[in-house]
Amino acid sequence: MQNQKLNTLKTLIKIAEKPIGPKPGFEITDVIKLFFVLGEGAPRGRKSLSKELQLGEGSVRTLLSRLQEFALVKMERGGCRLTESGVSIYRELAKMITQPKPVDAGPLSQGAWNYVILIRESAAKIRSGLEQRDAAVRAGASGATTVIYAAGRFSLPGVDVDVEKTYPSSFWRALRDLLNPKDGDTIIIVGASSAKAAERGALTAALQTLLADIQLSQKT
């Protein structure tokens, strides 16, 4: 299972890598979002994907061509959909993280738009949460808060602080209903001035955690 996870991450990185020629107009976060969109099953056209991803049609065309090179998407009359290999990538991705979702972050709001993402079985990898915050900010977010879920409660990484008691709010119940977290999961709440920046910040912060597995595998 660990090898499948690493292979999935490496494939996503390769798709987003700069090929020979001009720099592509998309990033790895756009690749991940595309898998979540196409993972819903229905074929999607370029115009629909352009609107969903907030990318130009030319960038979407290039992105789809890259996925075709890896035999991960196929073109049909109604649009494009994931191949069997593409579905496998999507399923592995969904085992690692949830699709970022907009949320009313209440006391943890750090911008006009806030998105939340869950990283499964990752709490042991989180040090202070500063790495995830910095990654989100580099991606254009205003800030990010990382909490871990253990023993049925939300707490700050590195310190035994029950954030539900420190920051009492209906937000925590809403978060449970939205994400259904399990012990050992990590949740990152990212705020930004735009929805795209908050969503991209959430995905980038999650990748900061996931890519640690690749770095570790390269050392062993």
Side-chain angles (χ1 to χ4, degrees):
M1 183 176 293
Q2 184 71 4
N3 286 338
Q4 290 178 326
K5 177 179 177 180
L6 292 175
N7 289 336
T8 295
L9 292 172
K10 289 177 180 178
T11 298
L12 294 172
I13 292 171
K14 288 179 181 178
I15 293 170
E17 282 179 346
K18 179 182 180 299
I20 297 175
K23 180 180 178 181
F26 59 84
E27 300 179 8
I28 188 170
T29 51
D30 299 311
V31 178
I32 293 172
K33 184 173 181 179
L34 178 60
F35 271 100
F36 275 115
V37 172
L38 294 181
E40 296 172 359
R44 301 288 292 268
R46 281 201 299 266
K47 287 187 178 180
S48 172
L49 290 174
S50 176
K51 182 177 181 180
E52 185 86 27
L53 300 177
Q54 298 184 53
L55 293 174
E57 286 192 46
S59 295
V60 171
R61 186 182 301 110
T62 302
L63 175 51
L64 291 175
S65 294
R66 289 286 287 166
L67 266 67
Q68 282 184 295
E69 291 174 18
F70 286 81
L72 298 175
V73 297
K74 55 185 176 182
M75 307 305 295
E76 300 178 346
R77 176 172 293 183
C80 65
R81 68 166 69 239
L82 295 176
T83 62
E84 186 174 333
S85 296
V87 171
S88 295
I89 292 287
Y90 162 69
R91 288 175 177 168
E92 284 301 317
L93 185 60
K95 289 178 184 178
M96 292 184 254
I97 61 174
T98 60
Q99 184 173 7
K101 298 177 181 178
V103 66
D104 179 355
L108 299 184
S109 176
Q110 298 193 54
W113 290 87
N114 291 273
Y115 271 68
V116 63
I117 191 168
L118 180 144
I119 315 170
R120 305 185 198 282
E121 301 178 355
S122 57
K125 304 173 188 176
I126 305 298
R127 296 178 181 177
S128 65
L130 294 179
E131 297 87 354
Q132 287 70 30
R133 182 204 64 187
D134 291 347
V137 170
R138 286 195 298 270
S142 302
T145 301
T146 300
V147 297
I148 59 176
Y149 194 76
R153 66 189 181 103
F154 297 103
S155 61
L156 295 175
V159 292
D160 188 20
V161 175
D162 187 333
V163 291
E164 293 184 74
K165 292 182 178 179
T166 305
Y167 304 102
S169 170
S170 59
F171 167 67
W172 303 111
R173 178 179 294 179
L175 203 60
R176 279 190 173 86
D177 293 340
L178 182 66
L179 300 176
N180 189 28
K182 308 295 183 185
D183 281 0
D185 289 345
T186 300
I187 299 94
I188 306 175
I189 305 100
V190 179
S193 58
S194 70
K196 183 173 183 178
E199 184 179 37
R200 176 173 289 174
L203 285 169
T204 303
L207 280 170
Q208 167 71 30
T209 306
L210 295 175
L211 293 180
D213 287 335
I214 289 183
Q215 295 167 357
L216 182 61
S217 70
Q218 291 174 339
K219 293 179 181 179
T220 57

